[in-house]
Amino acid sequence: WATFVSARDEAGQTLNDGSANQQQVDNAVAALQAAYDALLNSIVTGNPNLALNKPVEVSGTEVNDGRFTGPMAVDGQIVKTGTNAEKNPYRWASQRATGAAGDYNSEYGPTKQWLEIDLQGVYAIEEIKLYWEGGYATNYDIEGSLDGEVYFNIAGKSPTAAEDASFTGLEAKARYVKINCNTPFNAQWGYSLYEAEVYGTLVEEVDADKAALQLLYNQVAGIEQGEYADDLWATFVSARDEAGQTLNDG
């Protein structure tokens, strides 16, 4: 609703602006249509996009003037129109690869870039959709995390990846969704993502805690005593066994 109202207000301002050019009018029309379609879709499907307007962190942006920021990849606006300085304003554009030829004060960075969404709750993730601009990643992976520290793989694309992608039938519980861009289609331009959408259902608190416990248990299950002191080892084994019993207790 907030995205729709923002697009509606911007369209109203454009209508009242006697100096608005054709490109600005086209952008306002496309943004309002996209926001309206997203609003209707959330009502019809009853399965809202969990990433919509959620907090986002990124490795970097192409420019440092407020354009092409991380939050623009979760604003609900998939706008594929516009040219020159106003081209596709509703997207995240990463830093370009180090040493790439460029202009307009581009920010340079490593070849690998990332974008992370905080869903602000633990969800059973079922589907992820990515809408790329021409500067898409030909190789990338999507990770999930319960705490923003320990990550696990959710999905990924091989070097033959095309542009837009939809990953369905996923079975992952996560609060954070991180898109690791490993190889760009064109290093000169870095990565450019119109929108990332995440779909799933909220996990009950006890299930979320169990998921975190399972993740930790998997990390320590194979540890052997080695040179650990007997008393500390006994305490650890007792806690590990109890955690295992808790996980097996339906």
Side-chain angles (χ1 to χ4, degrees):
W1 176 251
T3 300
F4 170 72
V5 170
S6 175
R8 183 184 63 186
D9 291 348
E10 185 174 344
Q13 292 172 3
T14 301
L15 288 171
N16 293 326
D17 183 359
S19 62
N21 58 37
Q22 185 62 50
Q23 190 58 63
Q24 290 172 319
V25 172
D26 289 345
N27 285 342
V29 169
L32 182 58
Q33 185 64 58
Y36 181 60
D37 289 345
L39 185 66
L40 288 181
N41 184 63
S42 69
I43 295 174
V44 173
T45 64
N47 187 22
N49 171 19
L50 304 174
L52 185 62
N53 294 321
K54 294 296 176 63
V56 172
E57 291 188 6
V58 296
S59 52
T61 54
E62 181 179 16
V63 292
N64 58 9
D65 59 7
R67 292 179 296 153
F68 313 136
T69 61
M72 291 181 178
V74 294
D75 63 2
Q77 303 185 62
I78 308 172
V79 182
K80 298 188 177 185
T81 60
T83 58
N84 300 324
E86 295 176 343
K87 181 180 179 182
N88 309 311
Y90 306 100
R91 61 185 173 92
W92 167 59
S94 77
Q95 295 174 314
R96 301 186 188 189
T98 301
D103 50 16
Y104 55 84
N105 299 317
S106 294
E107 295 289 319
Y108 296 99
T111 299
K112 294 186 177 183
Q113 300 279 318
W114 53 266
L115 177 145
E116 181 175 85
I117 307 165
D118 179 0
L119 301 178
Q120 297 184 308
V122 176
Y123 290 85
I125 297 173
E126 302 164 1
E127 181 179 10
I128 294 176
K129 294 181 179 181
L130 301 179
Y131 299 88
W132 297 94
E133 198 237 3
Y136 59 91
T138 57
N139 177 280
Y140 61 91
D141 59 87
I142 304 174
E143 293 182 311
S145 175
L146 294 167
D147 57 7
E149 296 182 4
V150 178
Y151 290 82
F152 49 86
N153 181 263
I154 295 179
K157 275 290 185 180
S158 69
T160 59
E163 297 183 43
D164 296 349
S166 178
F167 301 91
T168 59
L170 303 177
E171 296 181 357
K173 294 180 180 178
R175 168 173 173 168
Y176 300 89
V177 174
K178 187 175 185 179
I179 304 164
N180 295 306
C181 303
N182 302 317
T183 307
F185 171 72
N186 186 336
Q188 180 177 347
W189 301 109
Y191 306 95
S192 184
L193 183 67
Y194 288 118
E195 197 76 12
E197 299 177 348
V198 180
Y199 297 90
T201 55
L202 183 65
V203 174
E204 295 295 334
E205 185 174 353
V206 64
D207 290 332
D209 290 341
K210 268 197 169 184
L213 179 60
Q214 182 70 66
L215 192 63
L216 179 59
Y217 181 81
N218 292 343
Q219 290 179 289
V220 303
I223 294 178
E224 298 181 356
Q225 180 172 1
E227 298 181 357
Y228 293 115
D230 290 342
D231 56 340
L232 295 178
W233 176 252
T235 301
F236 167 73
V237 170
S238 175
R240 184 177 62 182
D241 290 348
E242 184 175 347
Q245 292 172 3
T246 300
L247 289 169
N248 293 326
D249 183 357

